[in-house]
């Protein structure tokens, strides 16, 4: 038995190392492509190479101002993300239990998904502060995705568990909390993982168009305005790295929750 467990652990470790190696090779490949085109262009004001960009990012990362700006942008986006998750789940739940409500909400979600982010930013520019716009845009990015997945979670839940709850005369509230909620949250949290990256990118775009002070978007706008292309690429790299980190953390929390639920089951 122990030998089988050890073999399974070794196989899993080998699989993880193999995936990590493939990821590193792919990353090196795209860095080389970037380096090739930068070298071919021959002008760092048009396309700086990876070495110059990463060097500039390292310089920025040594300053407290960099972390202050990244932190403020994160707080704006995270407020929108969390609000979108809560409202998306609540509206999805109501849409399942009250069909007329679903018919009422569904067109609004379709409009939000189809409307360009820039249109929303310009539409609210005159009745929101520049600090509020990135949060509002992040909400709009998260809301329809979480709503749709929550509704899907209700549709895909196991009907046999509902029959069991009725057979054992479990109260509707307890059945929802103990039976329905764990099933639905898997779909909701899965949507959250997808929506997190979108919220971060859209939130930064809103900071650019709204000229939000003390923000990553404002720094990107300044680098374009002053033709500091290396700074533009450095801030872009910071956004990408931070987005990947957030998604990894969210995935780790999501996996931990699923494992905890499986252990209870």
């Amino acid at each position: 038995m122990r030998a089988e467990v050890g073999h399974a652990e070794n196989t899993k470790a080998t699989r993880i190392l193999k995936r990590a190696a493939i990821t590193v090779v792919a990353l090196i490949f795209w860095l080389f492509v970037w380096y090739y085109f930068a070298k071919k262009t021959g002008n760092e004001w048009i396309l700086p190479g990876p070495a110059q960009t990463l060097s500039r990012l390292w310089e920025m990362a040594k300053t407290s101002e960099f972390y202050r700006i990244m932190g403020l942008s994160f707080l704006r986006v995270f407020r929108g993300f969390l609000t979108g998750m809560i409202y998306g789940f609540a509206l999805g739940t109501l849409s399942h239990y009250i069909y007329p409500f679903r018919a009422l909400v569904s067109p609004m979600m379709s409009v939000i998904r189809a409307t360009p982010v820039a249109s929303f930013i310009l539409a609210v520019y005159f009745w929101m502060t520049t600090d509020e716009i990135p949060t509002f845009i992040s909400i709009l990015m998260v809301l329809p995705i979480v709503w749709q997945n929550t509704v899907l979670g209700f549709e895909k839940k196991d009907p046999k568990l509902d029959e069991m709850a009725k057979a054992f005369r479990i109260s509707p509230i307890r059945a929802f909390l103990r039976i329905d909620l764990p099933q639905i949250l898997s779909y909701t949290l899965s949507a959250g993982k997808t929506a997190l990256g979108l919220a971060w990118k859209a939130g930064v775009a809103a900071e650019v168009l709204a000229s939000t002070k003390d923000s990553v978007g404002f720094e990107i706008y300044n680098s374009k305005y002053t033709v500091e292309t290396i700074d533009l690429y450095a801030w872009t790299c910071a956004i990408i790295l931070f987005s990947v980190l957030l998604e990894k953390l969210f995935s780790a929390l999501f996996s931990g929750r699923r494992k905890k639920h499986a252990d209870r089951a």
Side-chain angles (χ1 to χ4, degrees):
M1 185 68 177
R2 289 181 179 178
E4 291 178 359
V5 173
H7 177 70
E9 289 179 352
N10 289 335
T11 303
K12 184 178 179 181
T14 303
R15 188 164 57 248
I16 292 172
L17 288 173
K18 186 178 179 180
R19 288 179 180 176
I22 292 172
T23 302
V24 170
V25 170
L27 180 61
I28 292 172
F29 170 79
W30 287 113
L31 285 173
F32 177 78
V33 170
W34 180 6
Y35 169 80
Y36 171 79
F37 282 105
K39 198 74 174 176
K40 191 174 182 180
T41 303
N43 189 340
E44 68 178 23
W45 296 105
I46 298 175
L47 180 62
Q52 296 97 318
T53 302
L54 294 176
S55 175
R56 177 58 182 147
L57 177 59
W58 178 247
E59 289 177 9
M60 289 161 47
K62 291 179 181 179
T63 65
S64 59
E65 184 70 5
F66 173 80
Y67 297 101
R68 187 179 74 86
I69 290 172
M70 290 293 293
L72 289 173
S73 288
F74 169 73
L75 288 176
R76 294 185 191 100
V77 173
F78 185 72
R79 280 200 304 265
F81 170 75
L82 193 59
T83 303
M85 287 286 292
I86 293 170
Y87 277 94
F89 178 77
L91 293 176
T93 302
L94 291 174
S95 296
H96 171 73
Y97 288 107
I98 308 171
Y99 185 78
F101 182 81
R102 179 175 178 176
L104 181 67
V105 170
S106 184
M108 180 186 71
M109 297 299 174
S110 298
V111 168
I112 293 173
R113 279 195 295 261
T115 304
V117 175
S119 298
F120 279 120
I121 296 170
L122 296 175
V124 301
Y125 187 80
F126 295 104
W127 52 279
M128 279 189 176
T129 66
T130 55
D131 274 343
E132 293 171 339
I133 292 174
T135 299
F136 177 72
I137 296 301
S138 299
I139 292 172
L140 293 182
M141 290 298 102
V142 175
L143 187 61
I145 299 174
V146 174
W147 172 81
Q148 186 176 33
N149 261 43
T150 301
V151 172
L152 181 63
F154 276 104
E155 293 175 350
K156 296 291 185 180
K157 68 178 183 175
D158 191 349
K160 293 181 180 179
L161 294 177
D162 291 337
E163 294 175 6
M164 181 194 71
K166 291 178 181 178
F168 286 94
R169 297 180 180 179
I170 299 174
S171 67
I173 295 177
R174 189 176 180 187
F176 174 77
L177 294 175
R178 301 297 297 273
I179 298 174
D180 293 344
L181 191 59
Q183 298 179 79
I184 298 155
L185 278 180
S186 295
Y187 288 86
T188 302
L189 293 175
S190 178
K193 179 184 175 182
T194 302
L196 183 58
L198 292 174
W200 178 242
K201 288 185 289 187
V204 172
E207 290 177 343
V208 174
L209 292 178
S211 298
T212 306
K213 295 296 195 312
D214 296 324
S215 70
V216 175
F218 190 72
E219 294 299 322
I220 289 175
Y221 177 80
N222 277 342
S223 63
K224 172 186 172 294
Y225 186 75
T226 58
V227 201
E228 293 288 348
T229 312
I230 295 179
D231 283 7
L232 171 63
Y233 275 75
W235 280 109
T236 302
C237 285
I239 292 169
I240 293 169
L241 292 172
F242 197 71
S243 179
V244 171
L245 177 61
L246 287 178
E247 288 185 7
K248 293 295 183 184
L249 288 173
F250 192 89
S251 296
L253 291 172
F254 182 34
S255 299
R257 184 202 161 276
R258 283 193 302 181
K259 184 178 179 182
K260 186 177 180 180
H261 176 63
D263 292 340
R264 285 181 178 178

